[in-house]
Amino acid sequence: MSGRTLAAALAIAIGGAALLGTQLPFIWASREARLARHPDVAFTGALPTYADDCFTYWSWMRQARDGRFLFEDLYTTEAHPRNYVNVLFWSLGTFGRVTGVSERSVYAAARVALSAALLFALWVLAGRLFSKPLERATAFAFFVVQGGWAGVADVFERNWHTAHVTSPEWWTPEMSTAFSMMLFPHFLAGFVCIIGTTLLALRAWRAQEAAEARVSAVLAGLVMTLLTFFHPYDVVPLVATLWLAAAFAGIQRLRWPAREIETAAVATGVLLPALLYNYWIFSSNPAMRAWDLQNLMITSEPARLAISLGIGGALAVLALVRFRAMPPPILYMAAWFVADLVLIHLPVRFQRRMIGGVQFPVGALAAFALASFAAPWLSRRLAEVRPLASWRKALGAAPLGACTLAAGLAVFPLQAATPWRVVHLEWAQLRRLRYPSWVRSSELQAFRALERSGGPAGAVLCSYEMGGLVPPSTGRRPYLGHYALTIDAQRKGRELERFFAAGPEDDSWRLELLARAGVTHVLWTAHERVLGAFDPTSRPWLKEVFRSGTGVEDAAVLYAVDSGTTKEAAPASESPRP
């Protein structure tokens, strides 16, 4: 078997295993739902981690299905302009509108399709970075299977109760290809755009003609523009990498890096209008502004960051020792790695999100380190053990490439432990048949009744758990439904607790709240009953319009608010949202 054939076979095996393994929890849950093995609950289509964000993306897709291109925030009752653009979820929602397929099904299919597209893009990138087939396969393996030391420790300790996302460790999906394949199509699409920009920048660097280089730089800027309109966080490290890579090229070659600077300048110039538009959106739209202010990122801690980067990170740092010997593509990846490490420590709120895609420069540098240090050492050791001619024949025409692959396979279990761990934990949570991956069938019926209800499309007062599902399930607004997209979410959380826990003496306050927020319906399920002993049946200003469930525990009741009563209670200075 030739080295090229072996490399392709390994890539197919690793990529196929990653694609199948990351979808196993969904396959299991979908099969359970299809066979109606749990008739009292329904699968929402979201994994436990970041389910509230998943519901948000479905709400955007629903707006696109309704024919909208400019989106509004359905998770807050405050007035705000409808001017948010997300081309990815608009495309997915439009596809659902044309085909009649539900948002959840389109979302799931997009996740699989974009995973496959990402795997192909990573294989192309690996080929651009490494000419030897087996070194290319080694880099591809690092790209797809990124793991930190925590995953290894947990596997050996059999500790199946690791905490949720904190600072960047091994839980962070932005820096894990496999975890992103489980969760978010927009992360995958973002990775594809990041790789596309990288390939175009490298093409501009090596172009023979200046005109060809400028065309590649313009295309790189256009790809980044596209990326800005569905995941702008990823654009910042791309721009930083373009400029830092130019500086690295000048330092390495002791010359003025004219071509590299021109590439960075042209790409940045093309991108600039999109960046300014997004800055305007997030500074002028109160809902987007609240999203930015409330979506706080925890600063990465050096120890946890080292844990998250694992063996790949250690090898990437080692690779920097050979800075002078790096070919241009690897030098670009070194600039990317350094840029990411600097950016995630800047004093900005979204600092952690700029680590997205760091597994790709880490993987490239790790493979380069193995090829530079481990492969020559292993080659010499093998030559001492057996005659050179015999092992060269066994390993093929490129023994150093084979030694690089062998070294990569030796550390592969350390990399694979984390993705395996993530799949196990998500699947274990899924098997518990609990919110947010599962909702009671009675609650689902209440959402359908709310969607069918006529009258003004006012807000819905309910628990945070039910509020997250209100926009994608009904097209209406909850009073509280998202930790960041609901304006002043913490205050509204306290108000919800008071609404469902306080006694009758607070009814005047309740009526004022309903009027101020433009609430037309109150949802009463097990999630609301946990908040307090509020009894909707004892309030004359609430009228039951739908009930489902056979017992007290699973009852889901929808109440309509008497608009006349709430108007009388509304403060003179305020009016309910139309």
Side-chain angles (χ1 to χ4, degrees), residues 292-376:
D292 181 29
L293 292 174
Q294 295 181 129
N295 195 14
L296 299 177
M297 299 288 106
I298 300 175
T299 302
S300 59
E301 304 164 24
R304 288 185 179 273
L305 186 60
I307 290 172
S308 70
L309 295 176
I311 184 66
L315 291 171
V317 173
L318 177 63
L320 297 178
V321 174
R322 289 185 54 83
F323 175 83
R324 292 287 182 185
M326 288 179 177
I330 301 298
L331 187 69
Y332 184 96
M333 305 306 280
W336 185 354
F337 178 57
V338 173
D340 272 1
L341 293 184
V342 172
L343 289 172
I344 62 173
H345 291 90
L346 294 181
V348 294
R349 282 182 296 276
F350 56 91
Q351 57 181 206
R352 195 200 76 190
R353 296 199 181 278
M354 292 189 289
I355 204 170
V358 72
Q359 68 269 30
F360 307 135
V362 165
L365 293 173
F368 179 73
L370 292 179
S372 300
F373 299 104

Side-chain angles (χ1 to χ4, degrees), residues 19-257:
L19 183 56
L20 177 61
T22 54
Q23 304 310 311
L24 282 177
F26 294 99
I27 295 172
W28 174 84
S30 299
R31 185 172 182 271
E32 294 291 295
R34 186 178 67 255
L35 297 177
R37 290 184 172 173
H38 313 285
D40 295 335
V41 294
F43 179 45
T44 62
L47 289 181
T49 301
Y50 293 127
D52 40 12
D53 289 337
C54 183
F55 300 153
T56 302
Y57 308 140
W58 293 346
S59 77
W60 292 340
M61 291 172 64
R62 183 184 177 108
Q63 293 182 61
R65 188 192 69 185
D66 294 338
R68 296 182 178 182
F69 178 72
L70 298 174
F71 297 158
E72 60 181 326
D73 178 11
L74 295 180
Y75 282 90
T76 198
T77 56
E78 286 78 4
H80 61 277
R82 192 179 77 192
N83 57 9
Y84 176 65
V85 177
N86 191 301
V87 294
L88 176 66
F89 291 114
W90 173 81
S91 300
L92 296 182
T94 301
F95 180 84
R97 174 165 57 90
V98 172
T99 61
V101 180
S102 70
E103 287 82 19
R104 291 159 177 79
S105 297
V106 172
Y107 188 90
R111 190 178 57 246
V112 175
L114 287 169
S115 293
L118 174 61
L119 293 172
F120 175 76
L122 290 174
W123 180 244
V124 173
L125 176 63
R128 180 66 189 88
L129 298 175
F130 296 95
S131 59
K132 296 178 181 179
L134 298 184
E135 291 181 359
R136 179 185 189 182
T138 305
F140 179 80
F142 274 105
F143 291 160
V144 178
V145 184
Q146 165 63 26
W149 298 113
V152 179
D154 282 344
V155 167
F156 282 113
E157 295 173 9
R158 306 294 293 178
N159 172 21
W160 303 109
H161 303 287
T162 302
H164 202 287
V165 177
T166 54
S167 65
E169 202 171 326
W170 58 275
W171 263 104
T172 309
E174 291 96 330
M175 59 190 299
S176 170
T177 304
F179 203 7
S180 291
M181 290 167 70
M182 293 181 69
L183 293 178
F184 298 136
H186 67 295
F187 277 16
L188 302 171
F191 290 158
V192 171
C193 289
I194 288 171
I195 295 166
T197 302
T198 300
L199 291 171
L200 288 166
L202 294 176
R203 180 182 175 187
W205 278 21
R206 73 174 190 273
Q208 297 296 323
E209 302 293 335
E212 180 185 353
R214 294 190 187 104
V215 169
S216 296
V218 168
L219 291 175
L222 291 175
V223 173
M224 288 194 292
T225 298
L226 175 66
L227 176 59
T228 304
F229 284 104
F230 69 87
H231 206 230
Y233 302 110
D234 290 339
V235 173
V236 178
L238 274 179
V239 173
T241 298
L242 285 170
W243 288 98
L244 185 60
F248 276 15
I251 294 171
Q252 185 196 56
R253 301 168 198 172
L254 300 178
R255 65 167 176 80
W256 180 252

